[in-house]
Amino acid sequence: MTNWLQGGGEMAERVRHHNWANTPLGPLEHWPDVLKTTVALCLASSFPQAIVWGPALITLYNDGFIPILGDKPDALGRPFNEIWQEAWPEISPIADAAFAGEATFIENFPLTIERGGAPEQAYFTFCYSPIRDVEGKVFGMLDTVTETTATVVLSQRLAELNASLEQRVTERTTLLTQTEAALRQSQKLEAIGQLTGGVAHDFNNLLTIIRSSVDFLRMPSLSEERRQRYMSAVTDTVDRAGKLTSQLLAFARRQPLNPEVFDAGLRVKNIGEMLETVTGARIHVHVELPGQPCYIRADSSQFETALINIALNARDAMNGQGSLTLRLDADQALPSIRGDAGSRQAFIAISLTDTGSGIPGETFERIFEPFFTTKEVGKGTGLGLSQVFGFAKQSGGNVDVASQVGQGTVFTLYLPQVVPEESFQRDTPDTCGLITECAQRHILVVEDNLEVGRFANQILQDLGYQTTWATNAEQALELAGADALGFDAVFSDVVMPGITGVALARELRRRRPGLPVVLTSGYSEELAESGYEGLVFLPKPYSADQVSQVLAKALLKG
């Protein structure tokens, strides 16, 4: 019975009268139900469709598929690979995938076919879908296809007409791009020149003080009072030089930070009280805090320095008279600032609002540039706001500015908010009076610079420590041995050829967990990126007193 072939147009009639007994499919009445159902659906469809059945790839198709075949010989009941033999190398992998159970959809697929006696380039959008029985076994594939040759050819012609226009646009865009690149390069060189010039200027001033003081200290007839004066000048100048490099590294986001969890509100309150003595009696400092503690995880020293830098900038903008308001808000979203993406995570926002002169438009875009300042010569380095910017960015936050000339300025510092652990507040051990107890300990000194290494070694010996000096990490690891029990602590530079100080510390801690390690460096990109949690860090330049305090603290913790 062929009731399932009712309707279906011309191809349904041809299927009914085709001699299927001479094909691998056999008589119509012996066809499996899944084939009958698929053929009935195919014949009733208005979309061009063909069925490819069994290992012999026997082909059936509907009326819509007839134009796809064109003048090809009668394809009904013939193997699909014979009908499309000229294109079979391209089609075969797709058909194999369908018989393996994977459907494939391709748009505007180019094929060279023969359906009018001569090869022609044609384009098709089609889908090869597997045909499964009730148990999921694949017996054939359904080819649903639309010829897109006319559309593609027309498109090739959105393209030939516009080719010359696009070429001209491309050429002009390339005249323009090169000009912009040259301008950016010029601006970059100008910025580098400004930066290096500012560094050279400030360091030459500092070196002048140091050099002159040293020359005077060499004088045999120098009085004790003048000797102390020049010694103090050298010490103060070195501190200023260290602060200068610290601010530069902060701006570059390359300064190693020592993050800790603390109550930002308490720090802001303390800074507000301190600012009352710094800004002068005619500037009124107001502090507005939330009713509950709000915690951040940041470098507390850099945090305080950033707020003080903003406050001192505000003081100068107010010419010593006005009001400065410090306000802290918790659970704030980070807005998009100067093109940087914002965040919906919880941030604290510390705003410092002054009643000063405001920032003019021509100055506003440059306020975070290092060494850019509108103050008189000798009144500022132009690095204060650079430090604020670098600290905020390196800490995962940002700093925003709003200003109106004649009305004042608002700086808002955003830093990620955290929920502290219950036991996060721990008493810091007091090293005063305990340094003597740490003396006679054996310290492994690791420093590749001979002058610095000799100096550090001498400092530790003068402090009463026994020392062994290694000039690189490889030598230090050899001296330490498998268990690193021969030393009480390690005092190591970070930036060294080969193994770095950070890698050395990790390996020594692997050999001996809890070994006290003090890392020291003037600059380390590795520390700036990964931090130094679990280790003690002492930035260069350091003093003998700082070495004493830091090493004693590390030994006490160890």
Side-chain angles (χ1 to χ4, degrees):
M1 301 213 25
T2 58
N3 292 336
W4 54 276
L5 280 174
Q6 296 298 319
E10 174 186 344
M11 289 310 302
E13 185 67 19
R14 291 176 60 184
V15 168
R16 275 194 293 268
H17 293 90
H18 191 80
N19 185 9
W20 295 107
N22 292 332
T23 71
L25 297 185
L28 284 173
E29 58 270 20
H30 294 164
W31 286 8
D33 290 341
V34 64
L35 177 57
K36 293 178 182 179
T37 302
T38 306
V39 170
L41 291 172
C42 172
L43 295 175
S45 175
S46 299
F47 286 97
Q49 288 185 328
I51 298 170
V52 182
W53 192 263
L57 306 180
I58 300 302
T59 305
L60 302 97
Y61 50 93
N62 62 8
D63 290 357
F65 197 80
I66 295 175
I68 303 293
L69 294 167
D71 294 335
K72 282 182 174 293
D74 188 14
L76 188 63
R78 292 177 55 205
F80 197 69
N81 56 343
E82 291 183 5
I83 300 171
W84 300 103
Q85 58 180 346
E86 70 277 18
W88 189 242
E90 290 81 12
I91 296 175
S92 176
I94 310 172
D96 291 342
F99 274 88
E102 180 181 350
T104 303
F105 174 78
I106 300 179
E107 291 185 287
N108 300 326
F109 190 66
L111 288 174
T112 301
I113 60 174
E114 296 178 5
R115 54 184 176 182
E120 63 174 288
Q121 180 72 58
Y123 296 85
F124 301 92
T125 293
F126 61 87
C127 178
Y128 283 3
S129 304
I131 301 173
R132 305 174 186 269
D133 65 3
V134 293
E135 296 179 353
K137 185 176 180 181
V138 178
F139 282 93
M141 75 172 188
L142 177 64
D143 174 16
T144 302
V145 60
T146 300
E147 183 169 357
T148 58
T149 303
T151 303
V152 173
V153 170
L154 181 60
S155 175
Q156 289 174 342
R157 286 177 179 172
L158 283 157
E160 292 173 358
L161 289 174
N162 289 333
S164 59
L165 177 60
E166 290 180 0
Q167 183 177 358
R168 290 196 295 271
V169 171
T170 300
E171 291 174 352
R172 293 179 181 179
T173 301
T174 302
L175 287 168
L176 183 58
T177 302
Q178 291 175 345
T179 301
E180 291 176 346
L183 177 60
R184 284 195 298 270
Q185 181 67 10
S186 175
Q187 293 173 333
K188 184 185 299 183
L189 292 174
E190 177 66 24
I192 293 174
Q194 178 183 341
L195 177 61
T196 55
V199 172
H201 173 271
D202 279 23
F203 265 97
N204 279 335
N205 287 339
L206 299 173
L207 291 173
T208 298
I209 298 173
I210 294 174
R211 178 62 183 270
S212 300
S213 298
V214 170
D215 288 342
F216 280 115
L217 288 170
R218 289 194 178 118
M219 297 174 60
S221 60
L222 193 67
S223 67
E224 181 62 21
E225 184 272 332
R226 293 183 65 191
R227 189 180 72 85
Q228 291 296 332
R229 186 196 315 164
Y230 291 129
M231 289 291 293
S232 297
V234 171
T235 301
D236 292 343
T237 304
V238 170
D239 289 342
R240 288 169 58 194
K243 182 178 180 181
L244 176 64
T245 57
S246 175
Q247 289 174 322
L248 285 170
L249 290 173
F251 170 75
R253 285 170 267 173
R254 292 295 185 270
Q255 174 160 270
L257 298 179
N258 185 20
E260 58 180 313
V261 177
F262 59 88
D263 181 359
L266 182 60
R267 296 298 175 95
V268 171
K269 179 177 181 293
N270 294 338
I271 291 172
E273 294 173 353
M274 182 271 292
L275 287 176
E276 291 181 347
T277 62
V278 174
T279 56
R282 294 193 301 167
I283 293 181
H284 303 285
V285 179
H286 308 277
V287 178
E288 300 177 2
L289 301 175
Q292 66 283 342
C294 53
Y295 298 94
I296 61 173
R297 185 175 181 275
D299 187 309
S300 60
S301 175
Q302 289 290 314
F303 172 77
E304 294 176 356
T305 300
L307 295 186
I308 291 172
N309 283 339
I310 297 175
L312 294 180
N313 211 61
R315 176 199 65 184
D316 295 340
M318 291 186 286
N319 291 321
Q321 183 174 357
S323 63
L324 175 64
T325 302
L326 283 75
R327 177 184 175 89
L328 190 153
D329 293 291
D331 300 309
Q332 302 294 301
L334 175 66
S336 176
I337 301 174
R338 292 183 298 277
D340 293 338
S343 173
R344 294 185 178 179
Q345 296 181 354
F347 282 74
I348 66 160
I350 304 173
S351 60
L352 289 87
T353 305
D354 66 57
T355 57
S357 57
I359 305 174
E362 63 272 14
T363 302
F364 192 84
E365 298 297 326
R366 304 187 60 190
I367 57 175
F368 294 119
E369 292 181 12
F371 295 108
F372 174 77
T373 179
T374 57
K375 300 174 183 177
E376 299 177 8
V377 176
K379 295 296 183 64
T381 62
L383 287 174
L385 294 182
S386 299
Q387 181 272 339
V388 176
F389 173 82
F391 164 70
K393 296 290 287 184
Q394 192 175 353
S395 301
N398 212 330
V399 57
D400 201 4
V401 190
S403 183
Q404 187 173 351
V405 176
Q407 300 295 319
T409 302
V410 181
F411 281 85
T412 305
L413 178 64
Y414 292 91
L415 293 171
Q417 188 172 335
V418 299
V419 177
E421 299 177 0
E422 292 183 3
S423 60
F424 88 97
Q425 291 179 324
R426 294 176 294 183
D427 293 333
T428 302
D430 184 7
T431 59
C432 298
L434 297 176
I435 298 174
T436 304
E437 298 179 18
C438 298
Q440 298 304 318
R441 303 285 185 92
H442 196 172
I443 310 300
L444 175 60
V445 180
V446 190
E447 173 61 67
D448 64 307
N449 185 290
L450 297 182
E451 294 181 357
V452 176
R454 190 178 300 112
F455 182 73
N457 207 41
Q458 188 63 56
I459 288 178
L460 292 172
Q461 289 179 3
D462 291 344
L463 291 172
Y465 293 102
Q466 299 179 38
T467 63
T468 298
W469 178 16
T471 57
N472 55 61
E474 290 82 356
Q475 183 184 4
L477 290 172
E478 184 177 349
L479 290 169
D483 52 14
L485 291 175
F487 301 98
D488 296 294
V490 178
F491 186 85
S492 175
D493 187 25
V494 173
V495 182
M496 298 182 290
I499 301 175
T500 67
V502 176
L504 169 66
R506 290 171 179 162
E507 173 58 23
L508 290 175
R509 284 286 183 86
R510 186 191 68 80
R511 298 182 184 185
R512 179 182 160 190
L515 174 66
V517 178
V518 176
L519 295 178
T520 178
S521 179
Y523 161 71
S524 169
E525 187 169 358
E526 184 179 14
L527 280 180
E529 292 179 351
S530 60
Y532 49 90
E533 289 190 7
L535 305 171
V536 179
F537 178 72
L538 177 63
K540 294 178 180 177
Y542 49 73
S543 66
D545 183 62
Q546 288 173 323
V547 172
S548 174
Q549 295 287 336
V550 168
L551 191 54
K553 181 179 179 180
L555 285 165
L556 286 170
K557 284 186 175 180

